[in-house]
Amino acid sequence: MASTRTRLTISYLVVVTAMLAAFAVALYVARGAEADQDVLEQAVALADDVLATIRNAQANGKLLTYQEQTEGLPTIRATQEMERQLDRHPGYFLVLDSLGRLLFSSSAVRLLAAEDQQELYTVAFQLRPGGPAARLPLTGDSLIKGRLMLVARRDPAVGTNISRVIGGLPTDLANVAPHLLLGTLLALAPVILIVSLGVAYFVAGRAFRPVDELINEVEAITDGRSLHRRLPVAASGDELSRLSATLNAMISRLESSFTALRRFTADASHELKTPLTVLRADVERAMHPGTSPADRMVALEEALQETARMADLVESLLTLARADEGRYDLHREPVRLEPLVRDVFETAAILGEENGLTIELPVCEDATVLGDPDRLRQLFLNLVTNAIKYTPRGGHVEISLTHRPHDEVALSVRDTGIGISASDLPHVFERFWRADRVRSRRIASVDNSWALDRGGFGLGLSIAQWIVQAHGGTLTVQSRLGRGSMFSVVLPVAPPAPDEMSERAEPAALTASRDGGGKGDSNSDFTDS
């Protein structure tokens, strides 16, 4: 397939050719119309010159009048001297007498073929002074081909003997200029097109030189190791500079993705390598002939724990992979958050008691959201257990569920734990990221629905963020090192069903009627049953 430069050059050539052709046709037509007007003016001048010659001849008595009667009128004949003077005029003209009969025809007319002369007489007899001109095509064996432009003129000064003079000239004589112009255009057109072709190819090459540079630069970025390179961005602000900026932004995102992928692969390999090593050691110890039954049971129990740990890791990775591909379907339904939060609070109270922490739920306002109850429980329990895990003994964890403006509900988990440094805050939701990678494994699994972080995979907050985003909410964190952290989940409240609206409206109407049409205590409490 031809390159863009070649296609642009060909397109330019076609456009220039079409413009030249249109210009030539328009110029030819305009010049032809102008030429016809010139021929008409020359024919009128010829007729006027003939009339002037006749007028001068009459003044000198060069016309003879015979008394031969024709229909009561005399017949006029030109003398030989008069004919010699009229023959001096070039061109085609006829002199008609008062009855419209031919008195004299020029030598050019007499040289025409008989059929052309007859056609000329017929047209001439029909022309009237002051009327439109006539174009007579010559089709016989005349010396000239083409058309004659004929016009009738009359001069009252010559008297009544001469009714009119018909003057004519060939239009081909005036059309020599358009033909010459067209030939000149045809001769110059190849030169013009060749020069235009070279200029177009040169201009297209200069215009696409930055594109070639971009292609070379992009070809140099072929793998993940060269994604640190960037394309040059011109300061012109044109389309190519915007394209370079867009490609640089895309390469930057690819670099971040490749870096995250490499880190993810390394971290996943490390997280799987450690339990596999422990599992292998436990199995080898259990299979050793000198191991006592009690030690063998301890080794098998540790191997089981490591197996469960790897199962949790694989399940978390599978959840995130499905979420990235958009293949994880949430079973959405109206979910009341108050009982769900209280259930999570009871679980947190048990865990906090084991770790010497105080767990509180000072505010728990009921709200209904449209979501997956299992995933919402996983989200809340993840945030709570994360707070418990990183709060030292004697600390405090507070859970609150409150309404917010714009039909939103917020769940906040605040702790007095070790906190997160400002440099680590932007990374807390990244996969396999942990601010402190040597934290102890202090928490065991609580139930079958959600296994707590036994050693800190660094996936819990990533899964929590995905759950919040899947429910159309936001997850934010505020923390200071050594002063604790606060994670806040904001979810949109589900619109009330029509039957709930009617049920709420009926108690309100009854209360209003009981209080005298709304004139009672304005601080009355309304509680949903």
Side-chain angles (χ1 to χ4, degrees), residues 33-55:
E34 183 180 355
D36 288 345
Q37 183 64 30
D38 292 342
V39 172
L40 178 61
E41 293 178 356
Q42 294 178 23
V44 170
L46 174 62
D48 290 341
D49 289 344
V50 172
L51 286 173
T53 301
I54 295 174
R55 187 170 57 251

Side-chain angles (χ1 to χ4, degrees), residues 4 47 57 87 97 213 223 262 281 299-300 337 340 351 381 403 416 487:
T4 304
D87 280 336
D97 64 6
E213 295 176 358
D223 52 24
R262 283 195 293 266
L300 291 176
L337 294 184
L340 186 60
L351 296 175
L381 191 59
H403 282 281
T416 59
F487 287 83

Side-chain angles (χ1 to χ4, degrees), residues 330-365:
L330 296 177
H331 303 285
R332 298 182 181 272
E333 60 183 44
V335 180
R336 292 185 58 193
L337 294 184
E338 181 185 7
L340 186 60
V341 172
R342 291 191 181 278
D343 180 47
V344 172
F345 169 71
E346 294 175 0
T347 303
I350 298 174
L351 296 175
E353 184 178 357
E354 295 177 356
N355 292 274
L357 302 178
T358 302
I359 312 297
E360 294 183 354
L361 181 63
V363 181
C364 188
E365 300 178 354

